[in-house]
Amino acid sequence: MMPISIDSLCCGYGKHQILYDVSFEAGQQITVIVGSNGSGKSTLLKAICGLADVYSGEISLYDKRITGLPTYKIMSMVSYMPQTNNVFGDITIRDNLLVASMPDKPDWNHIFEFFPMLQDRLHQKAKDLSGGQRQLLAMAMCISKKPNIILFDEPTASLSPAASNMVLEKIKEIQTALHNCIVLVEQNVKDALAIGDRCYLFAGGKKMFSGKPDVLLADKDFDSKFLGLADDNTS
Amino acid sequence: MIILVDAAIYATILSILCVGLTLTYKITNVPNFAHTSFAILGMYMALIVTKIFDANPYLAIPMAFVVSGATSLFLYYFVLRILQKRTKSFLPLIVATLSFDIFMIGILNILADTITSEFQVISRDFTLRSHDILIFDMPAILILSLAATACLVLGLYYMLYKTKFGIKMRCSIENTSLAQIYCINTQRVFCVSWFLSGGLGGTAGVFLAVWFQGDPGLSVLLLPSVFAGSIVGGFTSIYGSIVGGLVIGFSEILVTDLLARNFGYWIVSYRPIIPFLFIITTLLLWPRGLSEIIKKVQERI
C-alpha cells in the first residue's frame, strides 16, 4: 500500500485553480517537491490536508480515499507542518506539544530523543523562541503522534544557512529512525534534493518531472527550470 | 446605601453580559448585537418560573441558561456560520446579528402577550423584586450576582488554563487553521462558546428580572452598556470585560445619581450617554482598553 497516492488532481482556492491534473505518489522515504514560486507545491500538501478546494481527482492515504473529508479527520492520519504560523505562540511549549498529541498524552521520551533542546523550555511561551527553535518545535509537534506520514512545507524558509542545515538534518534523522513517509516541499533545492530519495518538479501547476534526485540534478536544464522558464508550457 | 447595592447588582450583571459578548467576539470575530436579547429571554424565563409555576426566580437559572444558550447556538450555527463560509466581510455578520436582535424582540413581544393573555400575568415593565429573599439581611440578588461573577472568573480560568477543552479553545482563537491541522474540531469549540455565551446572557437575565424592570424592548437599552464594558475591557480580553462591565455598571448608576442630586432628576433620562462617552473615549484615546493591564497581571500570576 502506498502511503500517499494522488490521481489526476485538479485543485485550488475558490475559483482560482492552482494544480492541473497532477498525479503523485510517495512511499516510505523522503519525497522532495521542488519548483518555482507559485508552481503549486504547497497547494498539493494543503489539498492532502483538506485545506484546498479539490475540483476533481482522488487523494488516498494507504488506499483509503480521503478527498472531501474535513481537515481534522484527515489529520488523524497525517502530520503537516505549515510554512508559517506553525506553532501556537500564546501558549507554552508544553501546551503546544499537548495539543499536537491529543487525544493521547505526549510521549516525552520520544520527543526529547529528537529534540532535547525543548526539555528545559517546556514552560516558555512559543512566541519567545527564535525562528530556528520555533521550526524545531513545529517539527516536534509533527512527530509527537509518531505519524506514518509527515508533510513539511518549506521548513527552512527564512532561516539562516546553519539553521536550515540543522532542520534538514533533523528531517533525515526522523525518517531514518521512524521509516515513515515524509514529503518535503523546499525552495532550498540542492540541500533538499541531497536528503531526498525521490523528487518531483512542479511548474505552473503541473508535474514536470518525477524520479531520482540525482537524475534531476544531472539535467543540464535544471537551473533554467528553477528560474520559472518551464512555466511557459502551461499557460 | 441602596444606591450602592443597585450599582453593585447592575455592575455584576453587566460583567456577566460583557464576558459573553467578548467570548464570541474573541473566538469567532463577530460582535453580536443580539447578545442582550438572550438576557431578556432569561428575564422571561424567570417570569414564567416565578409567576406561572409559583417558584423562586433563581430556580429559572438552569432553564434560562439552556434556552438562551440554545438560541445563541441557533444564531451561530444556522446564520453566522453559513455567512462566514460565503463571505470574509465583517458587515454581513453585523447586519445578521442586528436582524436577529429585531427578530428576538418580536419573539419576546409574542411571548409577553401570550403570558398575559393565557395566564393573566403582567409581562411588561414587570419586576420580581418582591420574590427575592434575604441572606444576612441583604437581598439575595446582591450576594448571588457577586458570587456568580466570582465563580465566572474562577470557572473561566479553570476552563481555559486547566482543561484540554480550554487549550483547544485558546488554540482555535489564536489560529483556526493550525488548530484544525492538529485535529481540533474548531466548529465544536465555536458552538460550545456560543452556547456558553448565550447561557451566560440568560443567567444574567434572571438576575436582571429579580432587581430591575423587564420588558421585551430592554435589550436595545442594555446593548450600549454591554458594548461599552467589553470595549473598555479591550474587547478581546475576557478578564478585561469583567472589569470593564464593573466600571460601566458602577459609573452608570453612581454618576447618574450624583448628577441627579445636583441638577435634578430630569437628567436620569440621559443615562445612556455615559456608556457612549466611555466607548468614544476608549476608542479614541486607549483603543486596547484594559487588556494590556490585564495581560501584564496575568503574566505576573
Side-chain angles (χ1 to χ4, degrees):
Chain A
M1 277 193 295
M2 195 57 81
I4 303 175
S5 168
I6 295 174
D7 185 31
S8 307
L9 179 72
C10 292
C11 70
Y13 306 100
K15 289 177 184 168
H16 186 48
Q17 186 166 351
I18 306 286
L19 288 180
Y20 299 86
D21 198 26
V22 168
S23 293
F24 175 91
E25 280 188 339
Q28 278 174 278
Q29 55 190 358
I30 297 180
T31 304
V32 180
I33 307 176
V34 292
S36 54
N37 282 334
S39 59
K41 310 179 297 289
S42 299
T43 304
L44 183 81
L45 300 192
K46 286 180 181 167
I48 296 170
C49 299
L51 295 168
D53 301 322
V54 174
Y55 310 134
S56 63
E58 290 287 327
I59 305 172
S60 305
L61 304 179
Y62 292 102
D63 288 346
K64 187 185 173 192
R65 188 178 175 275
I66 57 151
T67 324
L69 285 180
T71 299
Y72 75 92
K73 282 194 176 164
I74 298 170
M75 299 320 289
S76 59
M77 297 175 261
V78 179
S79 274
Y80 167 58
M81 179 175 151
Q83 188 180 343
T84 53
N85 295 325
N86 45 26
V87 298
F88 298 104
D90 285 338
I91 62 175
T92 62
I93 291 169
R94 182 181 169 279
D95 284 349
N96 268 287
L97 292 165
L98 269 174
V99 166
S101 313
M102 277 178 190
D104 303 315
K105 284 185 178 173
D107 180 348
W108 296 112
N109 291 333
H110 170 70
I111 293 167
F112 297 147
E113 184 188 329
F114 290 102
F115 303 96
M117 49 76 66
L118 296 176
Q119 200 161 358
D120 301 326
R121 299 167 187 255
L122 282 178
H123 298 287
Q124 199 175 331
K125 281 200 174 172
K127 66 181 174 190
D128 298 331
L129 294 173
S130 69
Q133 289 169 335
R134 215 178 284 192
Q135 294 300 77
L136 291 180
L137 170 61
M139 290 169 76
M141 289 165 75
C142 277
I143 64 145
S144 64
K145 272 189 182 169
K146 301 177 190 169
N148 290 321
I149 301 169
I150 308 180
L151 314 174
F152 288 112
D153 190 0
E154 299 195 27
T156 66
S158 68
L159 292 185
S160 67
S164 295
N165 285 337
M166 180 178 69
V167 166
L168 292 176
E169 277 169 19
K170 199 56 87 177
I171 289 172
K172 184 72 184 167
E173 188 188 327
I174 290 167
Q175 206 284 325
T176 308
L178 304 178
H179 304 291
N180 50 8
C181 164
I182 290 182
V183 180
L184 171 64
V185 164
E186 259 301 335
Q187 292 280 12
N188 191 352
V189 178
K190 290 190 176 168
D191 289 339
L193 290 178
I195 64 160
D197 301 300
R198 185 181 169 83
C199 76
Y200 282 80
L201 169 64
F202 277 28
K206 289 189 175 179
K207 181 177 79 181
M208 307 305 288
F209 171 87
S210 72
K212 292 274 182 191
D214 46 0
V215 176
L216 186 62
L217 286 165
D219 186 341
K220 60 180 180 178
D221 295 332
F222 173 75
D223 284 337
S224 64
K225 282 173 183 168
F226 284 104
L227 291 172
L229 299 177
D231 288 7
D232 297 343
N233 300 334
T234 58
S235 55
Chain B
M1 182 61 187
I2 190 72
I3 201 72
L4 275 177
V5 171
D6 261 355
I9 294 168
Y10 182 63
T12 47
I13 292 170
L14 214 52
S15 284
I16 299 170
L17 284 168
C18 292
V19 170
L21 181 70
T22 304
L23 187 67
T24 45
Y25 179 74
K26 190 176 168 83
I27 288 176
T28 46
N29 275 329
V30 182
N32 180 13
F33 284 84
H35 186 63
T36 46
S37 62
F38 306 141
I40 311 308
L41 194 58
M43 283 184 108
Y44 278 90
M45 295 299 115
L47 181 71
I48 290 168
V49 166
T50 312
K51 297 285 186 183
I52 298 174
F53 294 104
D54 203 19
N56 187 286
Y58 298 115
L59 294 176
I61 289 175
M63 188 165 92
F65 191 91
V66 172
V67 173
S68 296
T71 312
S72 171
L73 183 59
F74 177 89
L75 167 64
Y76 172 69
Y77 198 81
F78 292 106
V79 182
L80 302 173
R81 187 181 64 98
I82 295 165
L83 276 175
Q84 274 181 325
K85 275 186 188 171
R86 289 186 187 167
T87 173
K88 299 262 181 247
S89 171
F90 206 47
L91 197 61
L93 301 172
I94 293 175
V95 174
T97 61
L98 271 170
S99 310
F100 195 80
D101 190 41
I102 295 164
F103 167 77
M104 281 300 293
I105 292 171
I107 294 286
L108 289 164
N109 271 298
I110 294 169
L111 181 65
D113 288 341
T114 310
I115 291 169
T116 304
S117 63
E118 295 295 318
F119 302 98
Q120 287 74 50
V121 169
I122 295 168
S123 60
R124 291 173 198 278
D125 296 327
F126 69 91
T127 175
L128 305 174
R129 200 179 278 205
S130 59
H131 294 264
D132 197 16
I133 49 174
L134 289 176
I135 302 176
F136 306 120
D137 283 338
M138 278 197 284
I141 180 71
L142 177 66
I143 292 162
L144 289 177
S145 60
L146 281 170
T149 310
C151 287
L152 194 60
V153 174
L154 296 173
L156 280 172
Y157 176 80
Y158 185 81
M159 188 189 79
L160 286 172
Y161 294 95
K162 302 288 176 192
T163 65
K164 278 188 180 176
F165 183 79
I167 297 176
K168 285 181 185 178
M169 201 179 228
R170 283 153 63 210
C171 291
S172 303
I173 291 168
E174 189 184 327
N175 188 338
T176 307
S177 51
L178 187 63
Q180 286 174 337
I181 285 167
Y182 285 110
C183 300
I184 295 174
N185 185 346
T186 50
Q187 273 310 320
R188 188 182 294 166
V189 172
F190 296 159
C191 286
V192 170
S193 309
W194 274 82
F195 180 80
L196 202 60
S197 165
L200 288 173
T203 308
V206 174
F207 292 140
L208 269 175
V210 173
W211 203 250
F212 299 97
Q213 274 192 341
D215 191 79
L218 187 65
S219 68
V220 180
L221 294 174
L222 212 53
L223 199 61
S225 306
V226 178
F227 264 85
S230 291
I231 288 169
V232 167
F235 217 29
T236 53
S237 164
I238 287 173
Y239 295 110
S241 68
I242 293 176
V243 182
L246 291 173
V247 170
I248 299 296
F250 274 105
S251 305
E252 263 192 69
I253 304 279
L254 298 180
V255 172
T256 308
D257 182 65
L258 186 75
L259 293 175
R261 281 171 200 269
N262 288 292
F263 299 103
Y265 278 88
W266 58 270
I267 216 159
V268 173
S269 48
Y270 292 94
R271 182 175 131 181
I273 289 174
I274 294 171
F276 278 117
L277 283 176
F278 269 101
I279 291 175
I280 292 164
T281 316
T282 308
L283 291 178
L284 283 176
L285 303 176
W286 203 26
R288 289 188 169 183
L290 295 165
S291 60
E292 288 288 300
I293 299 168
I294 299 283
K295 207 173 179 180
K296 279 179 188 168
V297 172
Q298 272 182 307
E299 278 171 1
R300 276 192 187 177
I301 291 170

